[in-house]
Amino acid sequence: MASSAVLSQELFDETILENEDCFDLTPDDALRETIDQFCQQLGVDVVVIGSNSGTNAGNDDDNNNGGASVAAPLQSPTSVAIANNTSGRTTNNVAPDAVVEEAVVVVPAELSHLVLSHPNSSEGQRDRESRREFQNCLTLLDGCVNTDGTVNVTAADGNHADGDAGSGSGRVLNALVEIGRRCRFGSDFNFSENDKSNNKNSTSPLPYLATFQRTSSIYTLMNFLNILDPTQLLPDDDNSGDDETTATNFNLLLSNDNDNNPTLQILSATAHTLSSILVNNPSRDDGKCLQLRVELRDIFVPALGRLVCLIGGLIKTITASSQQQKQHDNDAAVIAESPSPAAAAAALISLLCVLFQLGTNATRGCESAKVAWVQSTLPPKFNTSNNKRGGVAVVVSCLSLANNDDDAFNDKNIQLLTEACQLLASLCRYDDFRGPSSTGGGGGGAPVTSSAHDHAMEFHRAGTAMFLIKIARGVLSSLLDDDDDDDNGYDDSLEEEFRGTPSDNESGKVANERLAAAVLTALRVLAVNDEIIQTMVALGVLPIVTRALQHGVVTVAETESGENAKSIGYGTSASLQSSGTTGGHYARKQRLAAASLGLLRNLCGNDEIKTNLCLGSSTTTTTTADQRGSKNSFTSSSILPHLLRAMQSFPSTTLIQEHACGTLAAMALRRPANARAILDAEGPRLVLLAMKRHPENVNVQRQGALAVRNIVSRLLRDLPEGGTTASSSASNNNDATAVNGNNNDDNDERTFIRDVFLELGAEDTLRNIAGRHQGSVDEAYAALRDLGCTVSLVKFNADDLQQSQQHQQGLGGGRTMMFGEKHNSNFRPVYEESVGLSDGVDSAISQFGA
């Protein structure tokens, strides 16, 4: 790594030209020779990976740096096909029998920051100019950071070599936008989201990410978060602070000209740029890009405390502006002389949304970042509740801020609530699956321990569930009112929001659906134990989740349109939204249905609640916080038909099928009446259909096998084995005829239950699909056993497999070979006296003795 740090683009270009001139090589040969030369000096190998032809032809941008192929070392480094990292152009000089146009060469990470094309080619000159502009942007930002970490944007003022004589703040803003764009999309990205064909010709962001990481520019952007000092926004309680500076900063943020405030603009652009760098981009990132983003998230962890403090200061400032607004409305003289603080608060809310989004992107997939956020501290004047951690306090304050607003569901507040709910879901979800050797997950290579449960308990003790349920109730009421206003429950022009020209009503419905899905997901990650679940039920979560699932289930016509547009899984709805009006509506319903089913799945951890959900209840009484203790009674019908309808409406969405199968498995556990209701509603058919439709998804297979097993075992367990109970009862009544009759009825019932599953192909599905996955084989075995199928489970461990392989190779499987031990095939573990051995020894002794 130390050698790669000094390998500059200038040295690489000079070496190419020198090799071309001294050895009389062609440009392509000189390029290949230079790459091989530096790879040998760095002690790394160039690798060739699989074909780009056939099924991979449509994913050239993903395959450019070896996204999903298996790499193998080159046998001859001089016979390679060189793949340009920035353009995808391939030149070749390989063996005659090689298919060079299908080979892709992956350059090691040590060279990923370089432009690997000839400097005299038009393509190379264009790429180098693009990289030079990117480097100039990084240099400009570095020059604005003082040695003490403070930021001075005036350092960017004046004329520069590029002829740009704009203001320092304007140049800094342009640099931030350019860095974020190239680190997320590459150099040739076309911003037209509707024209997806442009993505195939765009370049990978890998070279820019590698340059960004190697220049340690992440620390520069972390310093740019210090451009606004939140501790100077409000005076200290003891008035010991600089009152003049405090008043100036406070008035600056509460001015109506916040849209043109350079400090807020630079802070917002910095957060946008950091989000673009830290968030994964599945359409363009290969394995190396993803790894670089993970490493950058680990580096960014220390800045999360600063981010929490910023958010806390802005929330406190918005609260103060709200108080000023009330005085402004009541004082005619103030109205005439000063602007309204409402516009200033709107600008600060927009900045809050960007900062919350940065927090979400920084904590996804990084357990140490989640812990750092929750355990962050706030200055006393920002944290009104000393019993809350700083990271928890800012999220709860944001949720309560919108709830206390008279116009809680305006556009700005909806976006803020959505971002806050998404951050809460990220903090309470375990998604860091890196091994113990990683430095970010467990810290210093320690095993990664999930903190999701502890964080959920922190938010529960802070009273988050009450705010979330109130938000969910309000946004669902708004959605249902909009549907009642439409003739068919859906406005055909709703998709215009994704085309950039939405009307206020249409964009409002889209934003409400996003918020509904986000708040239900947040409630789901909080429902981790029975205490929290019962609290949610007491606050009225059951009618909310029922209405949300009903709203998320689409009509048959919409299902067909969505499936014809594109069969997608959860998380790829953006491509479906761009495919058409009905497809976008289908995708948003899909997101809402998945969030509803995920919450239902966790709520079914309580036996009484899952029975009420499955079978329905005549009357359910709840007490809601906003009703001041009044009782709210309503008739609850079974949610089972809506659940099964969701499985039918979204058959290709893996997350919906997983949550639905998991919910059915939880409902049937320990509840025979629930299992019977699922059986009568044709639940087994939809479960097995989901398993057949998603054979490679181990989560669907595991939850489906659990559902089959729980339904069958719970129904059969209530039936007497071999007619024992029936025989005892008949013996007491001295009625032998009753014995035979009851035995026959029980046997028929057992046969009927098993036949329902077997006739649907359950045995083949469990054996050949679920049984193939290590994560679902135990559940498949249990389901086959309860179905009465002949099945055996063979278990082995890695040591047994190693010993078996050694035994097959003649190494003996009785023990594990020690480090450095080699098998000697000429050694015979049997004593056989060699002919003439004694004579040879005596002869040697006599020679030395003589």
Side-chain angles (χ1 to χ4, degrees), residues 7 119 176 191 245-246 251 268 299 353 486 565 593 613 692 748 751:
L7 183 55
L176 288 170
F191 280 94
T245 302
T246 297
N251 292 330
S268 178
I299 297 174
C353 293
D486 297 335
L613 287 171
K692 295 174 183 177
D748 291 343
T751 302

Side-chain angles (χ1 to χ4, degrees), residues 2 44 50 151 153 172 224 230 241 249 260 302 340 440-441 446 450 454 626 665 725 739 800 806:
V44 294
V151 177
V153 295
V172 167
F224 264 81
N249 292 336
N260 297 320
S340 169
S450 172
D454 293 337
D626 57 336
T725 303
V739 174
D800 295 338
Q806 292 176 358

Side-chain angles (χ1 to χ4, degrees), residues 317-517:
T317 305
I318 293 174
T319 304
S321 71
S322 177
Q323 296 174 355
Q324 284 197 1
Q325 179 67 36
K326 294 179 180 178
Q327 297 177 1
H328 182 277
D329 295 338
N330 296 329
D331 194 338
V334 174
I335 295 176
E337 296 176 2
S338 63
S340 169
L348 296 184
I349 288 177
S350 298
L351 178 58
L352 269 180
C353 293
V354 178
L355 295 178
F356 270 117
Q357 187 179 40
L358 173 58
T360 303
N361 294 330
T363 55
R364 280 178 178 166
C366 184
E367 190 66 22
S368 59
K370 301 175 192 292
V371 175
W373 179 284
V374 172
Q375 295 183 353
S376 298
T377 57
L378 284 175
K381 59 183 177 181
F382 291 165
N383 192 356
T384 57
S385 177
N386 295 327
N387 59 349
K388 298 178 186 175
R389 294 181 183 267
V392 175
V394 295
V395 177
V396 176
S397 298
C398 176
L399 298 176
S400 62
L401 178 69
N403 276 273
N404 295 332
D405 196 335
D406 295 334
D407 187 14
F409 292 99
N410 58 47
D411 293 341
K412 292 295 184 182
N413 280 349
I414 286 178
Q415 183 182 2
L416 179 60
L417 291 172
T418 303
E419 298 297 342
C421 290
Q422 290 177 350
L423 174 59
L424 191 155
S426 176
L427 295 173
C428 299
R429 179 188 293 119
Y430 180 71
D431 53 7
D432 189 350
F433 301 105
R434 290 176 287 175
S437 61
S438 64
T439 58
V448 180
T449 303
S450 172
S451 57
H453 186 274
D454 293 337
H455 292 173
M457 294 302 298
E458 289 273 0
F459 280 102
H460 171 63
R461 286 190 287 267
T464 310
M466 178 182 64
F467 296 120
L468 292 176
I469 290 177
K470 182 178 179 180
I471 295 170
R473 183 180 296 109
V475 70
L476 283 173
S477 297
S478 178
L479 282 175
L480 295 177
D481 290 342
D482 290 341
D483 285 348
D484 292 339
D485 293 339
D486 297 335
D487 293 337
N488 57 358
Y490 172 65
D491 187 353
D492 291 338
S493 60
L494 186 61
E495 186 61 20
E496 292 179 5
E497 192 275 338
F498 295 97
R499 299 173 184 170
T501 57
S503 66
D504 293 340
N505 186 38
E506 294 160 355
S507 61
K509 182 182 290 188
V510 174
N512 283 337
E513 289 179 341
R514 290 186 65 247
L515 174 57

Side-chain angles (χ1 to χ4, degrees), residues 28-281:
D28 289 342
D29 291 338
L31 177 61
R32 275 193 303 277
E33 177 64 26
T34 304
I35 293 178
D36 294 338
Q37 176 182 341
F38 281 115
C39 285
Q40 292 175 2
Q41 292 179 4
L42 296 173
V44 294
D45 294 328
V46 183
V47 293
V48 173
I49 62 173
S51 170
N52 265 346
S53 61
T55 58
N56 293 332
N59 297 321
D60 295 336
D61 54 324
D62 291 337
N63 289 335
N64 269 346
N65 298 301
S69 303
V70 179
L74 282 177
Q75 299 298 326
S76 176
T78 58
S79 300
V80 297
I82 301 300
N84 188 325
N85 266 357
T86 57
S87 65
R89 181 178 59 88
T90 303
T91 58
N92 56 337
N93 182 22
V94 296
D97 56 344
V99 186
V100 295
E101 55 271 15
E102 294 185 355
V104 175
V105 172
V106 179
V107 237
E110 288 76 4
L111 301 182
S112 59
H113 64 292
L114 299 174
V115 179
L116 299 181
S117 57
H118 198 282
N120 291 337
S121 65
S122 59
E123 187 177 53
Q125 293 175 358
R126 182 200 64 189
D127 294 338
R128 282 164 175 78
E129 178 62 25
S130 175
R131 199 71 57 85
R132 192 176 300 111
E133 293 174 356
F134 181 76
Q135 186 64 53
N136 290 339
C137 293
L138 298 178
T139 303
L140 176 67
L141 297 184
D142 288 339
C144 296
V145 180
N146 300 325
T147 55
D148 59 353
T150 59
V151 177
N152 180 19
V153 295
T154 59
D157 287 336
N159 292 315
H160 287 256
D162 56 4
D164 184 9
S167 65
S169 58
R171 190 175 291 107
V172 167
L173 285 173
N174 292 335
L176 288 170
V177 172
E178 190 69 13
I179 292 171
R181 181 178 69 86
R182 299 198 181 192
C183 286
R184 180 156 174 77
F185 302 110
S187 61
D188 294 334
F189 177 74
N190 189 320
F191 280 94
S192 176
E193 291 289 350
N194 291 328
D195 186 9
K196 298 300 179 182
S197 61
N198 291 331
N199 294 345
K200 294 183 179 180
N201 299 323
S202 60
T203 61
S204 169
L206 174 62
Y208 300 99
L209 282 173
T211 302
F212 183 85
Q213 185 200 39
R214 288 177 179 276
T215 56
S216 299
S217 297
I218 184 70
Y219 295 104
T220 300
L221 294 187
M222 289 163 63
N223 285 324
F224 264 81
L225 294 176
N226 297 327
I227 196 171
L228 178 66
D229 186 1
T231 60
Q232 297 296 326
L233 298 180
L234 297 172
D236 294 329
D237 294 336
D238 57 359
N239 295 324
S240 60
D242 187 352
D243 293 339
E244 183 177 355
T245 302
T246 297
T248 301
N249 292 336
F250 184 71
N251 292 330
L252 176 66
L253 289 179
L254 293 185
S255 67
N256 269 346
D257 198 26
N258 277 330
D259 291 337
N260 297 320
N261 186 328
T263 300
L264 296 185
Q265 286 181 337
I266 292 176
L267 181 58
S268 178
T270 301
H272 271 298
T273 300
L274 285 169
S275 289
S276 299
I277 293 169
L278 300 180
V279 70
N280 295 337
N281 188 1

Side-chain angles (χ1 to χ4, degrees), residues 564-642:
N564 292 334
K566 186 176 183 179
S567 295
I568 63 172
Y570 185 71
T572 60
S573 58
S575 59
L576 184 57
Q577 288 172 348
S578 63
S579 63
T581 298
T582 307
H585 177 59
Y586 175 86
R588 293 191 298 275
K589 294 285 190 178
Q590 174 195 59
R591 188 184 299 112
L592 184 58
S596 304
L597 288 173
L599 177 56
L600 278 173
R601 180 178 173 183
N602 284 17
L603 293 177
C604 286
N606 182 286
D607 289 346
E608 181 180 356
I609 293 172
K610 70 185 180 185
T611 300
N612 291 335
L613 287 171
C614 183
L615 303 180
S617 59
S618 58
T619 302
T620 303
T621 303
T622 62
T623 303
T624 57
D626 57 336
Q627 292 171 331
R628 299 181 180 179
S630 63
K631 299 295 183 178
N632 180 25
S633 300
F634 62 93
T635 301
S636 173
S637 60
S638 172
I639 203 172
L640 186 59
H642 305 298

